[in-house]
């Protein structure tokens, strides 16, 4: 499998993992000690679930590389934004998490720019991030004890 063929599963996995991390962080930010543990549990589930899902759905009998890539990217995407909660809490941890998300989305935008054009890739990638934030915050308002 070529490096360029891995871009799609890496992007898919990273975005999936980060969207899960946003859910964990925004749902548990009032319980800072639980954020990393929650994100780590999601990362393990993402690694296995996304990797297995890719492998089960792949028509290529030698698709293990793509499966491993999407699983690893999902796990990394789920845990990276939660790393600040190992060091701090409150507004600083949230700001550091958002910074991680912005940087990773920037890298994803650059990877997508060749196909979509840089401006469109940026708008789409950060647009997804904004929709996820809004959806999670909105759901928190509807959940007892939520955001």
């Amino acid at each position: 499998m070529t490096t360029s063929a891995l871009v799609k599963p890496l992007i898919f996995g990273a975005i999936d993992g980060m969207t899960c991390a946003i859910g964990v962080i925004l749902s548990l930010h009032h319980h800072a000690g639980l954020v990393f543990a929650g994100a780590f549990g999601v990362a393990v589930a993402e690694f296995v679930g996304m990797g297995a899902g890719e492998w089960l759905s792949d028509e290529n009998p030698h698709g293990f590389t793509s499966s491993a890539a999407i699983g690893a990217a999902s796990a990394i995407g789920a845990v990276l934004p939660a790393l600040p909660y190992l060091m701090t809490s409150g507004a600083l941890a949230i700001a550091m998490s958002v910074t991680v998300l912005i940087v990773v989305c920037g890298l994803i935008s650059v990877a997508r720019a060749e196909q979509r054009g840089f401006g469109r890739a940026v708008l789409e990638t950060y647009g997804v991030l904004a929709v996820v934030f809004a959806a999670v915050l909105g759901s928190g308002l509807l959940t007892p004890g939520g955001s």
Side-chain angles (χ1 to χ4, degrees), residues 62 67 95 119:
H62 305 292
S67 301

Side-chain angles (χ1 to χ4, degrees), residues 68-92:
I70 199 168
S74 297
I76 291 167
V79 81
L80 273 180
L83 287 176
Y85 286 87
L86 289 175
M87 300 171 276
T88 189
S89 62
L92 179 59

